[in-house]
C-alpha cells in the first residue's frame, strides 16, 4: 500500500564530506528555500548520524531531518531506541530514522556483519519500533535479546517517529514491507526500480518510500548532465545491480562498465540519455518531469543529492524543482 500523495515531499541530502563549517549553513539554506527535509548519512569513516541530526534540528525551526541510515550492527537496539526517542522528544514530529544492514565491507571491517542479515534486520526493526512505542519488550531472538526492557515514561516521545529500513535487495525489501514504516532507496532510483521495489515490499499498511537521487539543475541541459556524472560513478558496481536491473539498458550498462578501466572512465562514457534516467538532472522542467515520474511510481519522499564543488550554492539551483519555482 502506498501512502497518499498528500505526503509528497522533496528534500535534500547533506553530503557526507561537506566541510564542517558548512553543515549548519547548508541545513538553514535548505529550510529557507522550502525543501521539506534534510537527510544526513552515517557512512563509516565520516560523521555520526545522530550527532548530525541533533545539530541540524537545533539549527533549524521547521524542516524535517532524516537519518538515513544507521547500520543496525553498530548499535544495541535498546540504546539506539534511547537516542532516537531523545531526538523525537526534543524535536517532536521532525525526525525520521532509517536503519539497515550497512555496507557489507564496512560492517565486516568492524566485526559486525551477522551470519543472517535478514533475520537480524527483522528482529532489530521489530524491537526498535516496540521500544519507541513504550512497550515492555521481551525478545529472545537469534540476535536481539531483551528481557522486559522499556523506555521510562519520562523518556517516551509524544510523537513516535516512524522507523524506515534502508535496503535494496528483494529479500531485504520484503523484510522492510513486513516490519518497517517505510523504505529508503539509495541512489540511483528510477521509476522502474521504484515499481520493482514496491512489488517486493508488498506492504499491507501505509508505507513511505524515500528515494535518493544525484541531482543537478541548470538552464543548460548539457551542463547539468555533465555536472551530475561524478555522482553516478558507482552505478556499474555489483552492489548497485538491483537499482539498474529494471532498466532497458541494464545489460549494455554492465558491458560498458566491464570494458572500462575505472569508474571515472565508465561514467564519462555513459550516454546522456542514460544519465537522464539515472539522476534528477537537466533543466528545471526536466527535473520536475523526472520527479513527477517518481511520484507517480510510488515515491513519497524524493531526496536530491547535489553534485559538485559547491553544495550550498547548488541548493538554489535545485530549488527550481519546488512548487514555488514553477
Amino acid at each position: 500500500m502506498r501512502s497518499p500523495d498528500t505526503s509528497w515531499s522533496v528534500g535534500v541530502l547533506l553530503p557526507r564530506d561537506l566541510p564542517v563549517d558548512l553543515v549548519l549553513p547548508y541545513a538553514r539554506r535548505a529550510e529557507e528555500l522550502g525543501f521539506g527535509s534534510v537527510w544526513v548519512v552515517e557512512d563509516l569513516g565520516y560523521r555520526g548520524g545522530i550527532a548530525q541530526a541533533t545539530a541540524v534540528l537545533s539549527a533549524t525551526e521547521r524542516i524535517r531531518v532524516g537519518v538515513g541510515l544507521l547500520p543496525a550492527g553498530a548499535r544495541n537496539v535498546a540504546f539506539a531506541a534511547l537516542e532516537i526517542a531523545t531526538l523525537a522528544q526534543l524535536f517532536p514530529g521532525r525526525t525520521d530514522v532509517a536503519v539497515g544492514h550497512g555496507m557489507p565491507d564496512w560492517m565486516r571491517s568492524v566485526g559486525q556483519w551477522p551470519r543472517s542479515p535478514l533475520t537480524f534486520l527483522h528482529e532489530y526493526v521489530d524491537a526498535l519500533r516496540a521500544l519507541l512505542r513504550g512497550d515492555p519488550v521481551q525478545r529472545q531472538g537469534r540476535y536481539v535479546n531483551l528481557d522486559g526492557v522499556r523506555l521510562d515514561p519520562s523518556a517516551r516521545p509524544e510523537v513516535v517517529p516512524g522507523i524506515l529500513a534502508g535496503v535494496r535487495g528483494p529479500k531485504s525489501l520484503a523484510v522492510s514491507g513486513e516490519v518497517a514504516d517505510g523504505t529508503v532507496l539509495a541512489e540511483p532510483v528510477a521509476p522502474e526500480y521504484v515499481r520493482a521495489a514496491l512489488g517486493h515490499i508488498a506492504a499491507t499498511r501505509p508505507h513511505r518510500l524515500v528515494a535518493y537521487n544525484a541531482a543537478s539543475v541548470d538552464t543548460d541541459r548539457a551542463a547539468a548532465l555533465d555536472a551530475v556524472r561524478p555522482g553516478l560513478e558507482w552505478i556499474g558496481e555489483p552492489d548497485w545491480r538491483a537499482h539498474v536491473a529494471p532498466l532497458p539498458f541494464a545489460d549494455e550498462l554492465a558491458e560498458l562498465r566491464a570494458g572500462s578501466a575505472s569508474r571515472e572512465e565508465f561514467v564519462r562514457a555513459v550516454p546522456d540519455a542514460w544519465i537522464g534516467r539515472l539522476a534528477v538532472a537537466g533543466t528545471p522542467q526536466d527535473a520536475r518531469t523526472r520527479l513527477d515520474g517518481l511520484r507517480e511510481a510510488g515515491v513519497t519522499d524524493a531526496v536530491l543529492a547535489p553534485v559538485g564543488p559547491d553544495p550550498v550554492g547548488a541548493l538554489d539551483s535545485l530549488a527550481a524543482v519546488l512548487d514555488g519555482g514553477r
Side-chain angles (χ1 to χ4, degrees):
M1 180 185 299
R2 58 174 288 188
S3 299
D5 283 346
T6 53
S7 67
W8 172 252
S9 171
V10 178
V12 291
L13 190 71
L14 195 154
R16 65 183 184 178
D17 57 352
L18 189 68
V20 68
D21 60 327
L22 296 180
V23 169
L24 300 185
Y26 181 96
R28 294 189 188 105
R29 186 58 181 154
E31 182 172 72
E32 290 169 1
L33 290 168
F35 287 101
S37 60
V38 172
W39 287 75
V40 301
V41 298
E42 182 172 273
D43 287 349
L44 184 62
Y46 291 86
R47 300 184 179 111
I50 296 293
Q52 288 182 89
T54 303
V56 170
L57 285 160
S58 297
T60 54
E61 296 180 1
R62 300 172 305 280
I63 199 167
R64 293 185 68 86
V65 178
V67 183
L69 55 82
L70 300 178
R75 291 177 178 80
N76 175 281
V77 67
F79 288 90
L82 303 188
E83 299 283 2
I84 295 166
T86 301
L87 272 182
Q89 274 196 320
L90 293 173
F91 308 97
R94 294 182 58 202
T95 306
D96 296 305
V97 177
V99 298
H101 304 299
M103 295 297 289
D105 288 347
W106 295 348
M107 302 311 291
R108 290 189 181 102
S109 76
V110 297
Q112 296 296 332
W113 186 252
R115 286 184 178 272
S116 178
L118 293 172
T119 300
F120 181 34
L121 187 65
H122 190 292
E123 292 181 359
Y124 194 97
V125 174
D126 179 63
L128 182 57
R129 292 180 69 242
L131 287 164
L132 291 171
R133 291 194 302 264
D135 299 343
V137 181
Q138 194 77 34
R139 296 284 192 282
Q140 296 299 319
R142 182 173 176 182
Y143 297 101
V144 174
N145 292 280
L146 299 170
D147 186 7
V149 178
R150 70 186 304 174
L151 287 176
D152 186 84
S154 66
R156 294 177 199 161
E158 290 186 15
V159 181
V160 178
I163 298 300
L164 295 80
V167 291
R168 56 163 55 97
K171 293 181 180 179
S172 297
L173 289 166
V175 170
S176 180
E178 185 177 350
V179 298
D181 299 302
T183 300
V184 176
L185 300 177
E187 68 281 7
V189 180
E192 294 89 342
Y193 180 42
V194 172
R195 288 188 281 269
L198 286 172
H200 295 301
I201 290 167
T204 58
R205 56 192 175 87
H207 191 92
R208 290 172 60 193
L209 193 68
V210 180
Y212 291 178
N213 270 302
S216 176
V217 177
D218 195 299
T219 54
D220 182 334
R221 177 182 289 113
L225 295 175
D226 190 53
V228 84
R229 287 177 183 274
L232 298 172
E233 288 180 355
W234 292 90
I235 61 171
E237 306 306 308
D239 284 337
W240 276 260
R241 188 172 294 122
H243 300 251
V244 178
L247 293 167
F249 51 83
D251 291 342
E252 295 173 82
L253 187 141
E255 291 174 6
L256 179 62
R257 178 63 187 97
S260 301
S262 66
R263 293 190 299 271
E264 294 79 9
E265 178 183 311
F266 157 72
V267 82
R268 286 196 299 269
V270 173
D272 281 355
W274 297 2
I275 295 291
R277 300 280 292 274
L278 293 162
V280 176
T283 66
Q285 186 55 53
D286 292 336
R288 293 182 198 125
T289 299
R290 185 83 167 79
L291 290 173
D292 287 344
L294 291 169
R295 183 176 184 174
E296 290 168 5
V299 169
T300 60
D301 301 72
V303 179
L304 308 180
V307 180
D310 181 16
V312 179
L315 291 176
D316 290 80
S317 297
L318 294 183
V321 306
L322 301 176
D323 288 341
R326 291 185 184 271

